[in-house]
């Protein structure tokens, strides 16, 4: 029997994503973003995001159906982000998803956004290795996970104690007057800079941190160190070497991510690594992980940048996995949850 066709809906932050997946084959991948509307505020404004989802939902759905050459009646199940994320934004996506599921009389899965970021890799690189270590790096999350299988065995082994790594990129970009979202801006600016120009701190990597925070992260001190360095320079009336600051900050952030991730691979004796989330689009991170993986004998999988940032295909990929594993669907009265732990793969 053919695998079921799953329509996935993502609306947890500032992207309205609709993807269609059958098995591990991507049939449609459409994203509308409200990023430009948030730019002048230097961060995502929840009310603006919710309204933008409302406006983009139907046009994005129509584009996805057109791309796949499918009629809505041919969809076998709906998957939607149930959390974590901005509550208003989640409510818009889940309301649309429930309306679709009800009118088409199809099952609905309310899935974990973070686990979806991990699962999307199957669309490009085939079934995920089991077990594996997964590093999720995004604007809202920095998590190291041990994944037995994405359907029902995901465990957080480390997380950020303060800012997410993407958030640090966004805040440092603001300090340097680079446009929002900060990650791509820093990545671009860093191309012309020297990553060793300024020695920014690598938090929680000292021997004393190995006891209680071996796999945890902290990025707020790094952001503050950049702010202090910039203030100091400005006080002296000197120009800011933006490219060097961007490159040195980026290297510090990437180094910490790599140290912890490969330490986790070693500690758990796991030789497969998957990296996902918006920051996985970072060119320094991608280069560094390839290099370290080769040294450590770890095989690493990173989705293409367009699947790393928020999208509906990742939600459909997880929905597809759940449906193929025979997991029960949710009832239509589920409530989205703005903070959902990764251990809850489905609401
Ligand atoms: O996964 P994502 O699209 O949304 C969340 O779930 O948060 O991640 C967005 C984050 C933002 O902080 C953005 O600045 C960062 O990913 N990002 C990057 C790059 N592209 C996006 N960070 C570093 N380098 C990039 N090239
Ligand atoms: Zn995300």
């Amino acid at each position: 029997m053919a695998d079921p066709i799953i329509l996935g809906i993502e609306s947890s932050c500032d992207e309205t994503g609709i993807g269609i997946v059958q098995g591990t084959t991507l049939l449609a991948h459409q994203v509308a973003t409200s990023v430009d509307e948030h730019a002048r505020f230097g961060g995502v404004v929840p009310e603006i995001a919710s309204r933008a989802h409302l406006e983009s939902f139907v046009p994005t759905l129509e584009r996805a159906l057109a791309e796949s050459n499918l009629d809505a009646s041919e969809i076998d199940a709906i998957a939607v982000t149930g959390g974590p994320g901005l509550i208003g934004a989640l409510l818009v996506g889940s309301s649309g998803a429930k309306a679709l599921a009800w009118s088409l009389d199809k099952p609905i899965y309310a899935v974990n956004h973070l686990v979806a970021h991990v699962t999307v890799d199957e669309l490009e690189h085939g079934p995920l290795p089991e077990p594996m270590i997964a590093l999720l790096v995004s604007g809202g999350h920095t998590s190291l996970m041990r994944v037995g299988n994405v359907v029902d065995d995901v465990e957080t082994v480390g997380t950020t104690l303060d800012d997410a790594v993407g958030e640090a990129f966004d805040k440092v970009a603001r300090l340097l007057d680079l446009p929002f979202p900060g990650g791509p801006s820093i990545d671009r600016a860093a191309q012309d800079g020297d990553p060793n120009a300024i020695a920014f701190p690598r938090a929680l990597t000292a021997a004393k941190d190995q006891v209680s925070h071996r796999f945890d992260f902290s990025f707020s001190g790094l952001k503050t160190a950049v702010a202090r360095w910039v203030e100091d320079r400005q006080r002296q009336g000197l120009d800011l070497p933006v490219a060097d600051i961007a490159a040195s900050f980026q290297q510090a952030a990437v180094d910490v991510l790599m140290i912890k991730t490969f330490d986790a691979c070693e500690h758990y004796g796991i030789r497969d690594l998957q990296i996902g989330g918006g920051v996985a689009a970072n060119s320094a991170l991608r280069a560094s992980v390839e290099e370290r993986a080769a040294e450590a004998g770890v095989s690493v999988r990173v989705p293409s940048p367009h699947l790393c940032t928020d999208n509906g295909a990742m939600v459909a990929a997880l929905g597809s996995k759940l449906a193929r594993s025979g997991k029960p669907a949710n009832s239509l009265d589920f409530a989205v949850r703005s903070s959902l732990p990764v251990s809850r793969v489905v609401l």
Side-chain angles (χ1 to χ4, degrees), residues 251-273:
Q251 196 57 49
V254 167
D255 278 353
V256 176
L257 292 171
M258 293 299 99
I259 291 167
K260 304 264 174 177
T261 300
F262 284 96
D263 187 27
C265 290
E266 170 88 31
H267 176 75
Y268 288 95
I270 294 178
R271 308 231 84 55
D272 284 287
L273 169 64

Side-chain angles (χ1 to χ4, degrees), residues 10 12 113-114 117 138 277-278 308-310 314:
E10 154 60 26
S12 67
H113 177 88
L114 308 179
H117 266 301
S138 75
C308 282
T309 45
D310 287 350
M314 66 190 213

Side-chain angles (χ1 to χ4, degrees), residues 10 12-15 84 113-114 117 136-141 164-170 180-188 250 276-285 308-311 314:
E10 154 60 26
S12 67
C13 191
D14 57 344
E15 266 94 29
H113 177 88
L114 308 179
H117 266 301
L136 175 64
V137 278
S138 75
H141 302 275
V165 62
E167 192 178 350
F169 271 85
D170 294 335
F180 176 81
S185 304
I186 298 257
D187 199 345
R188 262 193 311 276
Q250 177 172 273
V279 183
N282 184 265
S283 57
L285 187 146
C308 282
T309 45
D310 287 350
N311 64 82
M314 66 190 213

Side-chain angles (χ1 to χ4, degrees), residues 7-10 16-20 28-31 57 60-61 64 311-313:
L7 181 121
I9 298 167
E10 154 60 26
T16 311
I18 308 237
I20 303 177
H29 171 47
Q30 295 291 328
V31 179
F57 189 94
T60 311
L61 172 64
N311 64 82

